[in-house]
């Protein structure tokens, strides 16, 4: 699959490269990033190298794109967003979305814009042509839930012990957006999520 850059003029999504390793390392050392993800903590440069060489590059070759979120075409990485396979199924028309954003740029709607861009590209005929994109988050990650809700993901429930974070099973929320769903915001999320 050919790598694609996506933009709406405010955010740029481009495949991260080895030139981004130091920026990725710095962002992923923020406690708030590690708190809600399954990435290693502490996060070191070798983890960013492994991410680029073992996940990003093969992912693009295997229908699992990862983009660096930037605030300009050649700007440093301030976040990451990707689409990956859903482990429990062999369904090539669905994917799971994951993302994180550096603390310095939160609260500006940037990740919601990035999720819209990634979903529209993934649903587009002739590229991934997905039918369904799932979002999952560790229970309590209200910021991620707000992004998913604003981006048109419909809440589907609680997965008891649905996530493993560094060897510990945790409950997770799940929501999904179908190709036929409008881009958002999605109605009927439970109060408090």
């Amino acid at each position: 699959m050919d790598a694609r850059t996506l933009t709406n003029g405010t955010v740029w999504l481009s495949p991260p490269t080895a030139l981004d390793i130091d920026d990725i390392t710095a962002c992923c050392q923020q406690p708030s990033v590690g708190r809600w993800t399954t990435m290693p903590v502490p996060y070191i440069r070798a983890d960013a190298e492994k991410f680029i060489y073992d996940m990003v590059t093969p992912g693009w070759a295997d229908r699992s794109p990862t983009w660096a979120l930037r605030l300009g075409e050649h700007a440093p990485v301030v976040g990451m967003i990707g689409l990956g396979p859903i482990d429990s199924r062999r369904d090539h028309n669905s994917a799971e979305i994951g993302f994180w954003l550096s603390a310095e740029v939160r609260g500006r709607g940037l990740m919601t814009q990035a999720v819209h861009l990634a979903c529209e590209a993934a649903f587009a005929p002739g590229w991934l042509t997905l039918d369904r994109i799932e979002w999952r988050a560790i229970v309590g990650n209200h910021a991620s839930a707000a992004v998913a809700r604003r981006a048109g993901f419909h809440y589907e429930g609680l997965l008891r012990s649905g996530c493993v974070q560094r060897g510990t099973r945790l409950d997770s929320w799940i929501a999904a957006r179908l190709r036929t769903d409008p881009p958002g915001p999605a109605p009927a999320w439970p109060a408090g999520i």
Side-chain angles (χ1 to χ4, degrees):
M1 182 171 73
D2 292 333
R4 290 186 176 202
T5 296
L6 310 173
T7 187
N8 63 4
T10 301
V11 297
W12 280 258
L13 302 181
S14 60
T17 70
L19 299 175
D20 298 311
I21 287 173
D22 289 335
D23 290 334
I24 293 168
T25 303
C27 289
C28 292
Q29 289 176 348
Q30 296 174 9
S32 58
V33 172
R35 167 66 180 96
W36 299 111
T37 65
T38 58
M39 67 180 58
V41 173
Y43 196 91
I44 59 174
R45 191 172 201 285
D47 296 317
E49 291 170 349
K50 183 175 177 56
F51 171 69
I52 292 292
Y53 298 122
D54 294 353
M55 292 183 68
V56 173
T57 303
W60 277 98
D62 194 30
R63 296 178 44 90
S64 296
T66 299
W67 294 276
L69 191 156
R70 305 171 195 277
L71 302 183
E73 186 176 2
H74 303 291
V77 174
V78 295
M80 204 65 62
I81 184 168
L83 297 167
I86 298 174
D87 294 335
S88 63
R89 290 181 242 140
R90 296 175 195 261
D91 179 357
H92 297 292
N93 292 326
S94 65
E96 182 177 346
I97 194 165
F99 49 82
W100 57 259
L101 190 64
S102 180
E104 295 85 37
V105 297
R106 290 184 194 146
R108 297 166 41 187
L110 300 171
M111 189 52 76
T112 300
Q113 293 177 58
V115 170
H116 279 299
L117 285 169
C119 288
E120 292 308 312
F123 289 137
W127 196 51
L128 291 179
T129 319
L130 296 180
D131 295 322
R132 174 183 169 87
I133 300 174
E134 290 183 7
W135 162 89
R136 296 176 188 216
I138 296 168
V139 168
N141 191 346
H142 297 284
S144 185
V147 168
R149 183 175 50 251
R150 288 191 303 262
F153 285 73
H154 293 254
Y155 181 80
E156 295 182 339
L158 172 74
L159 300 173
R160 296 176 305 135
S161 294
C163 171
V164 178
Q165 183 193 50
R166 294 180 283 282
T168 302
R169 283 210 161 270
L170 301 169
D171 293 346
S172 61
W173 293 318
I174 186 170
R177 183 171 161 194
L178 305 181
R179 183 185 334 178
T180 55
D181 290 337
W189 276 64
I193 296 180

